[in-house]
Amino acid sequence: MNTVQSGFVPLTRAEYDTLTKLLGELLQTQHAPVIIPGEAIIGIEAIAAGIAAPGRRFLNIVTGPYGTLFGEWLERGGAEVVELRVPFDEVVTAEAVEAAIASSQPQAISFVHAEVVTGGSNPAKSILELARRHELISVIDSVSAVGGEELPIDAWGADLVAIGAQKALGGPNGVSAVSVSPRGWAYIESNARAPRNSILSLLDLRPPGEGQAFRVPPSIPTLEARALIAALADTEAEGLDRVIRRHELAAESAAAGLQALGLEGWQRDASRRSTLTTTVRIGGEDRLRIGQPVGIVAPGDGELRGRLLRINHFGANASQESVEKAVRTLAGLLETDEAAALAAVRSVWEAAR
Ligand SMILES: *Cc1c(COP(=O)(O)O)cnc(C)c1O
């Protein structure tokens, strides 16, 4: 008899439980997050599919390309979408969100927490306060924010939160997670359109209660899940506060370096810059129009190409060394002396020691 040997080793229940526990600790939630067997964008699309329906009105905040995409997915599900959009060199203010809630009277509100593409960061805590006050279901794309900014999900009352490990946490991108509050589950369960038997079904992937079996056993990519467990364990060992602090220092020191080089930040409000990426306004400086990334210095994506440069100082690159290297790259492009800019970067890190 021939036997076919399969190389597939499924994730054990113990590993699944470890992953769930580490994610819950990272996100400071008591509710077991859904583990998404794929990239974070699948979790975001699954949220849209689970909550969108005719008769449901959403206020979708658009401060970058992922917000546009989310709104399209909500509309595909038949929802009515009111958009609050700002130019991509800004983020929203809590005042603008409050006015938009008052005029549109939505059931739910959605936004991207930290925008790696534009280098902006929305005031998540304030927006979630407004959502709670107006009893709105809240949806956040925190894929890049997690590990770079605080995200205490239960304390902030966030209902549906997508996260990934491949940005600030330096983990894999083939497995991700969606945190769902009890209110969030009720909002999905009360939607007759919420998918079942689909890659986009959060209901199929819903974690079983203690001692219960899965409704549908999930096929989570084992190697990716183990890499995620390792990345989460590393984060826990370093301390989430320290990981976030490292990202803050990377952003502060990059800003100091840019200033010394006479360059302008792309994001207009310096207090609302993301800790993951620092974006540089190109303006009339043709020497900054690069075609390919140079280390962590990258051209803008899509419509932002030629308008900004991105310094991707996240994950392992949220370090003094990486920011110094990026500043050297920029000085090289400008054919200018790098010494003052490097000193500015160093002084930020040294002051924090
Ligand atoms: C990177 C990113 C995504 C997409 O994550 P993938 O894992 O690449 O699918 C979604 N939203 C934001 C804000 C991101 O930064």
Side-chain angles (χ1 to χ4, degrees), residues 39-41 44 66 112 114 116 141 143-144 166-167 173:
E39 275 185 72
I41 201 76
I44 298 168
Y66 288 109
V112 172
V116 286
D141 172 351
V143 175
S144 51
Q166 77 275 28
K167 304 274 169 67
N173 63 0

Side-chain angles (χ1 to χ4, degrees), residues 258-280:
L258 291 190
Q259 197 182 11
L261 289 171
L263 293 172
E264 200 185 331
W266 165 259
Q267 279 292 321
R268 294 189 181 276
D269 181 349
S271 72
R272 294 260 39 108
R273 289 183 186 157
S274 134
T275 61
L276 279 280
T277 56
T278 294
T279 41
V280 185

Side-chain angles (χ1 to χ4, degrees), residues 9-17 222 226:
V9 182
L11 200 67
T12 65
R13 179 65 196 252
E15 285 173 313
Y16 176 88
D17 290 344
T222 314
R226 289 184 183 150

Side-chain angles (χ1 to χ4, degrees), residues 43 148 217 301-302:
D301 290 331

Side-chain angles (χ1 to χ4, degrees), residues 225-291:
R226 289 184 183 150
L228 179 55
I229 289 172
L232 294 171
D234 285 350
T235 300
E236 199 170 78
E238 183 178 353
L240 179 60
D241 287 352
R242 285 208 183 146
V243 175
I244 292 173
R245 186 70 189 131
R246 206 158 39 73
H247 284 83
E248 288 170 352
L249 289 171
E252 268 174 52
S253 63
L258 291 190
Q259 197 182 11
L261 289 171
L263 293 172
E264 200 185 331
W266 165 259
Q267 279 292 321
R268 294 189 181 276
D269 181 349
S271 72
R272 294 260 39 108
R273 289 183 186 157
S274 134
T275 61
L276 279 280
T277 56
T278 294
T279 41
V280 185
R281 189 172 292 271
I282 291 180
E285 185 49 85
D286 284 336
R287 288 176 293 193
L288 295 181
R289 272 177 238 283
I290 55 174

